[in-house]
């Protein structure tokens, strides 16, 4: 079974694996943007790989780059199980990464810096202090013109973009008062404070968005 058919694997190998339907629903439209934005990338860090479903879908179809997964240690067995079921030569096992750390994790076997960081459905499930740390660490690690690509739901001008997002936000905040759907203006302001400028904003299925930030580059002066 090819990775291109992962959206229909619930009756196959993946039926025995921890499964996120949200990953299956959004991976095709996300991939279409990644194929455009990561044409020149060589080494990408995925922050919050979750079940690992995104990584096994994206890596084979972005074969020109190295796809490095990461997450808290509690999720590593799940990610590795997906990698074992759907291996790819450019797909790397998860690194331990907790957002209280003071730097992004690096694989000692890969001797090149990240030129892109990708994260999906993370900003709304973590505390705002950790969101800020993620942007700071990403900006610190990326070279000039490196990209930070973020997928998930966002509010616009303090308002929900759908009734579904309103209900989802209420559920998030009931579970953890520090989580919740973020205002896109606050995210853009935070990014700009770390020299990450919004390059493009793509509307995605189910009232989600994909934001592409680019690290500001400075021209050398004589």
């Amino acid at each position: 079974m090819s990775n291109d058919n992962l959206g229909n694997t619930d009756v196959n190998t993946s039926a025995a694996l921890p499964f996120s339907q949200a990953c299956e629903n959004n991976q095709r439209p996300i991939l279409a943007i990644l194929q455009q934005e990561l044409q020149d990338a060589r080494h990408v860090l995925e922050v919050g790989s979750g079940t690992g479903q995104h990584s096994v879908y994206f890596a084979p179809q972005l074969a020109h780059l190295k796809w490095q997964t990461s997450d808290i240690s509690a999720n590593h067995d799940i990610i590795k199980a997906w990698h074992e079921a759907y291996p790819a030569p450019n797909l790397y096992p998860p690194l331990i990464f907790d957002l209280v750390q003071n730097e992004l994790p690096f694989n000692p076997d890969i001797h090149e810096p990240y030129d892109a960081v990708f994260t999906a459905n993370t900003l709304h499930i973590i505390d705002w202090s950790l969101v800020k740390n993620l942007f700071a660490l990403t900006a610190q690690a990326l070279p000039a013109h490196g990209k930070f690509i973020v997928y998930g739901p966002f509010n616009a001008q303090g308002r929900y973009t759908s009734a579904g997002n309103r209900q989802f936000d209420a559920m998030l905040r009931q579970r953890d008062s520090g989580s919740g759907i973020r205002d896109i203006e606050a995210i853009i302001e935070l990014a700009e404070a770390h020299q990450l400028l919004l390059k493009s904003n793509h509307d995605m299925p189910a009232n989600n968005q994909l934001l592409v930030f680019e690290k500001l580059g400075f021209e050398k002066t004589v």
Side-chain angles (χ1 to χ4, degrees), residues 15-187:
L17 297 172
F19 182 84
S20 168
Q21 187 61 48
C23 285
E24 300 300 295
N25 294 342
N26 63 33
Q27 59 192 8
R28 288 180 185 274
I30 293 175
L31 176 64
I33 305 302
L34 295 184
Q35 288 173 325
Q36 298 174 25
E37 296 292 347
L38 300 180
Q39 291 183 44
D40 300 322
R42 298 183 60 185
H43 190 194
V44 176
L45 173 68
E46 179 185 13
V47 173
S49 298
T51 62
Q53 286 167 254
H54 273 158
S55 65
V56 301
Y57 184 78
F58 295 148
Q61 302 192 68
L62 297 167
H64 65 285
L65 55 78
K66 298 176 178 67
W67 190 275
Q68 176 63 63
T69 55
S70 73
D71 211 316
I72 58 174
S73 58
N75 291 334
H76 282 207
D77 286 346
I78 299 172
I79 298 167
K80 291 175 182 177
W82 274 90
H83 288 190
E84 289 174 5
Y86 303 100
N90 64 327
L91 179 59
Y92 289 82
L95 300 173
I96 295 175
F97 184 41
D98 190 311
L99 280 168
V100 299
Q101 294 174 210
N102 57 14
E103 63 180 359
L104 295 183
F106 283 89
N107 187 333
D109 296 327
I110 302 178
H111 303 289
E112 57 187 74
Y114 298 123
D115 41 27
V117 174
F118 169 79
T119 191
N121 290 320
T122 57
L123 303 193
H124 55 276
I125 64 172
I126 59 177
D127 188 85
W128 179 246
S129 64
L130 300 181
V131 175
K132 292 195 293 184
N133 200 39
L134 175 58
F135 274 79
L137 297 182
T138 298
Q140 177 181 312
L142 287 178
H145 307 298
K147 293 178 180 177
F148 185 27
I149 302 177
V150 181
Y151 173 90
F154 296 95
N155 293 332
Q157 298 180 338
R159 298 180 179 179
Y160 298 105
T161 59
S162 71
N165 278 1
R166 179 189 295 274
Q167 295 170 358
F168 182 47
D169 185 65
M171 182 272 291
L172 290 169
R173 294 180 185 277
Q174 184 177 24
R175 185 184 64 182
D176 179 358
S177 60
S179 64
I181 296 177
R182 310 302 178 184
D183 288 346
I184 192 169
E185 294 83 7
I187 293 297

Side-chain angles (χ1 to χ4, degrees), residues 1 5-16 19 21 24 86:
M1 180 174 54
N5 294 321
L6 282 175
N8 299 308
T9 58
D10 54 324
V11 295
N12 294 290
T13 305
S14 64
F19 182 84
Q21 187 61 48
E24 300 300 295
Y86 303 100

